[in-house]
């Protein structure tokens, strides 16, 4: 089994994004099956997602609309809906890996993701 964790940083504020809902799902023949959910802590980390089998294709889905709504206004200075209401990251879990850390760098009009350590 391979552990999965993530870290969300709000680059527009220069700090961790606390309270971002995160869902981990497995790609199956019948579609996506949710394995677990979490939310980022005060350090922007979600460390309690379930482990997955090697060789799986998984998706991390971030509910960025909920994050911006909780801040009561988007970083654009208005109450309009965020440009990216969700971010979905799909990746394959390699057999030789014991853990994947997948950070998300987030701002109101863009995002970046990478495989961390």
């Amino acid at each position: 089994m391979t552990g999965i964790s993530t870290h969300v940083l709000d680059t527009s504020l220069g700090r961790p994004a606390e309270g971002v809902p995160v869902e981990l799902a497995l790609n199956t023949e019948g579609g996506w099956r949710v394995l677990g959910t979490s939310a980022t802590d005060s350090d922007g980390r979600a460390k309690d997602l379930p482990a997955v089998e090697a060789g799986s294709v998984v998706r991390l889905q971030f509910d960025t609309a909920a994050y911006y709504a909780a801040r009561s206004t988007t970083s654009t200075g208005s109450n309009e809906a965020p440009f990216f209401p969700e971010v979905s990251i799909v990746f394959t879990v390699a057999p030789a890996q014991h853990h994947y850390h997948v950070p998300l760098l987030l701002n109101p009009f863009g995002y970046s993701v990478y495989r961390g350590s």
Side-chain angles (χ1 to χ4, degrees):
M1 298 296 279
T2 301
I4 306 290
S5 63
T6 189
H7 190 190
V8 183
L9 300 172
D10 186 330
T11 60
S12 66
L13 299 176
R15 63 179 186 228
E18 181 178 3
V20 179
V22 181
E23 175 185 279
L24 177 65
L26 174 69
N27 191 7
T28 68
E29 289 183 20
W32 292 103
R33 181 171 55 92
V34 175
L35 299 175
T37 60
S38 186
T40 55
D41 62 17
S42 62
D43 196 33
R45 297 178 184 275
K47 301 180 253 184
D48 57 352
L49 294 167
V52 298
E53 289 188 41
S56 301
V57 175
V58 296
R59 177 183 69 196
L60 282 172
Q61 188 165 332
F62 302 86
D63 186 349
T64 54
Y67 168 70
Y68 286 118
R71 291 182 45 219
S72 74
T73 182
T74 64
S75 295
T76 62
S78 70
N79 287 322
E80 65 187 54
F83 187 69
F84 294 107
E86 68 179 38
V87 174
S88 292
I89 309 301
V90 177
F91 58 98
T92 302
V93 177
Q97 297 300 312
H98 296 303
H99 185 84
Y100 278 103
H101 183 66
V102 184
L104 172 67
L105 305 178
L106 178 66
N107 70 65
F109 299 106
Y111 62 89
S112 179
V113 65
Y114 60 98
R115 180 179 165 203
S117 57

